[in-house]
Amino acid sequence: MGATKTSHYSKETMQMAKIANALAHPARITIVKTLVDKTCVRNKDLQTIVGLSEGSISQHMKKLIAANIVKFKYITHEYEVSLIPEQLEELNYYLKQ
Protein backbone atom coordinates (compact mmCIF):
# COMPACT_ATOMS: atom_id res chain seq x y z
CA MET A 1 0.00 0.00 0.00
CA GLY A 2 1.30 3.45 -0.88
CA ALA A 3 2.01 6.32 1.46
CA THR A 4 -0.85 8.62 2.40
CA LYS A 5 -0.73 12.01 0.71
CA THR A 6 -0.95 14.26 3.73
CA SER A 7 -0.41 17.51 1.83
CA HIS A 8 -4.07 17.46 0.76
CA TYR A 9 -5.29 17.88 4.34
CA SER A 10 -5.31 20.82 6.72
CA LYS A 11 -3.16 20.90 9.83
CA GLU A 12 -6.32 20.65 11.94
CA THR A 13 -7.48 17.54 10.04
CA MET A 14 -4.08 15.92 10.49
CA GLN A 15 -4.16 16.61 14.25
CA MET A 16 -7.65 15.13 14.54
CA ALA A 17 -6.47 12.03 12.66
CA LYS A 18 -3.59 11.68 15.12
CA ILE A 19 -6.00 11.90 18.07
CA ALA A 20 -8.45 9.48 16.47
CA ASN A 21 -5.64 7.01 15.79
CA ALA A 22 -4.51 7.22 19.42
CA LEU A 23 -8.06 6.44 20.55
CA ALA A 24 -8.40 3.50 18.15
CA HIS A 25 -7.85 0.80 20.79
CA PRO A 26 -10.20 -0.35 23.55
CA ALA A 27 -7.46 -0.12 26.21
CA ARG A 28 -6.69 3.50 25.32
CA ILE A 29 -10.38 4.41 25.31
CA THR A 30 -10.68 2.80 28.75
CA ILE A 31 -7.70 4.83 29.97
CA VAL A 32 -9.21 8.09 28.67
CA LYS A 33 -12.66 7.30 30.11
CA THR A 34 -11.02 6.54 33.47
CA LEU A 35 -9.19 9.87 33.39
CA VAL A 36 -12.39 11.74 32.56
CA ASP A 37 -13.89 10.34 35.77
CA LYS A 38 -10.85 10.47 38.06
CA THR A 39 -8.73 13.45 36.94
CA CYS A 40 -5.45 11.69 37.83
CA VAL A 41 -4.50 7.98 38.02
CA ARG A 42 -1.25 6.19 38.84
CA ASN A 43 0.14 3.75 36.30
CA LYS A 44 -0.17 0.88 38.80
CA ASP A 45 -3.90 1.59 39.12
CA LEU A 46 -4.26 1.64 35.33
CA GLN A 47 -2.82 -1.87 35.20
CA THR A 48 -5.64 -3.06 37.44
CA ILE A 49 -8.36 -1.02 35.71
CA VAL A 50 -7.40 -2.01 32.17
CA GLY A 51 -6.16 -5.48 33.08
CA LEU A 52 -2.87 -5.27 31.21
CA SER A 53 0.78 -5.58 32.15
CA GLU A 54 3.03 -2.63 32.95
CA GLY A 55 4.71 -2.93 29.56
CA SER A 56 1.40 -2.91 27.69
CA ILE A 57 0.16 0.10 29.64
CA SER A 58 3.43 1.86 28.85
CA GLN A 59 2.99 1.25 25.09
CA HIS A 60 -0.58 2.54 25.17
CA MET A 61 0.54 5.58 27.14
CA LYS A 62 3.17 6.37 24.50
CA LYS A 63 0.43 6.60 21.86
CA LEU A 64 -1.75 8.84 24.04
CA ILE A 65 1.19 11.07 24.96
CA ALA A 66 2.29 11.36 21.30
CA ALA A 67 -1.23 12.54 20.41
CA ASN A 68 -1.05 15.03 23.30
CA ILE A 69 -4.16 13.54 24.95
CA VAL A 70 -2.56 12.79 28.31
CA LYS A 71 0.33 14.09 30.35
CA PHE A 72 2.24 12.41 33.14
CA LYS A 73 4.30 13.29 36.17
CA TYR A 74 6.97 10.99 37.55
CA ILE A 75 6.81 10.16 41.21
CA THR A 76 8.88 7.60 43.10
CA HIS A 77 8.97 4.36 41.05
CA GLU A 78 5.78 5.18 39.16
CA TYR A 79 3.96 8.02 37.45
CA GLU A 80 0.63 9.83 37.59
CA VAL A 81 -1.35 10.28 34.41
CA SER A 82 -3.87 13.03 33.74
CA LEU A 83 -5.96 14.11 30.78
CA ILE A 84 -5.32 17.19 28.65
CA PRO A 85 -8.99 18.16 28.28
CA GLU A 86 -8.39 20.77 25.58
CA GLN A 87 -7.48 18.03 23.09
CA LEU A 88 -10.72 16.16 23.60
CA GLU A 89 -12.67 19.41 23.47
CA GLU A 90 -11.00 20.10 20.12
CA LEU A 91 -11.95 16.66 18.87
CA ASN A 92 -15.53 17.14 20.05
CA TYR A 93 -15.72 20.56 18.35
CA TYR A 94 -14.22 19.17 15.13
CA LEU A 95 -16.71 16.30 14.98
CA LYS A 96 -19.68 18.64 15.46
CA GLN A 97 -18.74 20.79 12.45
Side-chain angles (χ1 to χ4, degrees):
M1 182 178 281
T4 303
K5 295 181 181 180
T6 59
S7 62
H8 293 44
Y9 306 107
S10 70
K11 184 178 176 183
E12 180 184 54
T13 300
M14 293 302 295
Q15 179 61 23
M16 290 304 111
K18 190 174 185 179
I19 291 170
N21 185 39
L23 293 174
H25 192 283
R28 294 191 288 268
I29 290 173
T30 302
I31 291 168
V32 170
K33 284 177 72 175
T34 300
L35 292 171
V36 166
D37 294 337
K38 295 190 177 190
T39 310
C40 184
V41 178
R42 292 180 184 224
N43 63 321
K44 303 272 185 198
D45 296 331
L46 283 175
Q47 292 173 36
T48 304
I49 293 165
V50 181
L52 295 174
S53 69
E54 184 178 353
S56 293
I57 293 293
S58 177
Q59 291 303 310
H60 288 301
M61 291 306 301
K62 285 180 184 178
K63 284 266 193 177
L64 293 171
I65 290 166
N68 205 30
I69 295 172
V70 299
K71 58 185 174 183
F72 66 99
K73 177 176 74 170
Y74 281 108
I75 52 177
T76 309
H77 302 293
E78 57 188 7
Y79 54 90
E80 291 180 334
V81 183
S82 57
L83 198 59
I84 301 173
E86 296 83 19
Q87 287 292 23
L88 295 181
E89 288 169 12
E90 253 184 72
L91 177 62
N92 190 32
Y93 173 78
Y94 184 79
L95 292 174
K96 287 183 178 182
Q97 289 183 8

